[in-house]
Amino acid sequence: MPNRSINRNTFIGNLGDAPELTRVSENSVVCNFPLALDDSYEKNGETVEQTVWVEIEAWGKLGEICEQYLDRGSQVYIEGKLVSSTWEDEHGQSRKDLSVRAQEVQFLDSPGDAGGDGAMSQSDPAPEPTSQASDGQEDFEPSGDLPF
């Protein structure tokens, strides 16, 4: 029986910086952002708090949505897998890096906070702006901010 492994990671944290969208080819974009994960442990009877930083990459429409609606401080739920990359630095030294390739992103902020309250995954279509009237309310016109 072949050995099997699982490469699935789940995080809830806050963006440490604004997301950056990069076009890597004519038809492909990636959005990168650092995610801060607060952690604590006991040492000599005292609680020690620390922040663990994870680099997140979101590709395609998921990346475009992250870049559009997330900002520094936004709280998010991320599901993804670890990916590694190797490159040479300016001194010719081989370097390796680990990041998490997001497969699902949920915006956890409350209405009016930095983000929103919604979920997007790699397979979800991009949201389309809509204009609807309901219960006698005025038409909603998208202004770049999510209404939640």
Side-chain angles (χ1 to χ4, degrees), residues 38-42 47-50:
D38 293 330
D39 195 16
S40 63
Y41 60 92
E42 295 290 323
T47 301
V48 177
E49 297 197 19
Q50 64 182 11

Side-chain angles (χ1 to χ4, degrees), residues 58-122:
W59 288 81
K61 285 290 186 192
L62 182 60
E64 291 173 355
I65 292 165
C66 288
E67 191 269 337
Q68 184 176 1
Y69 295 113
L70 295 176
D71 203 357
R72 179 182 174 137
S74 296
Q75 187 177 46
V76 293
Y77 167 92
I78 304 276
E79 280 187 26
K81 62 182 180 178
L82 282 177
V83 293
S84 63
S85 57
T86 305
W87 73 96
E88 281 190 19
D89 66 14
E90 63 275 2
H91 304 292
Q93 298 288 330
S94 180
R95 300 287 184 185
K96 292 183 179 184
D97 194 19
L98 282 177
S99 60
V100 173
R101 181 168 298 153
Q103 295 170 308
E104 181 178 339
V105 175
Q106 291 184 20
F107 307 156
L108 299 179
D109 289 316
S110 300
D113 287 349
D117 185 17
M120 295 302 296
S121 68
Q122 194 66 34

Side-chain angles (χ1 to χ4, degrees), residues 21-30 59-61 64:
L21 191 70
T22 305
R23 182 160 300 283
V24 293
S25 72
E26 185 176 322
N27 299 321
S28 184
V29 294
V30 62
W59 288 81
K61 285 290 186 192
E64 291 173 355

Side-chain angles (χ1 to χ4, degrees), residues 123-141:
S123 60
D124 288 341
E128 302 224 0
T130 60
S131 177
Q132 296 178 321
S134 61
D135 301 330
Q137 296 180 348
E138 294 181 18
D139 284 351
F140 167 70
E141 289 294 326

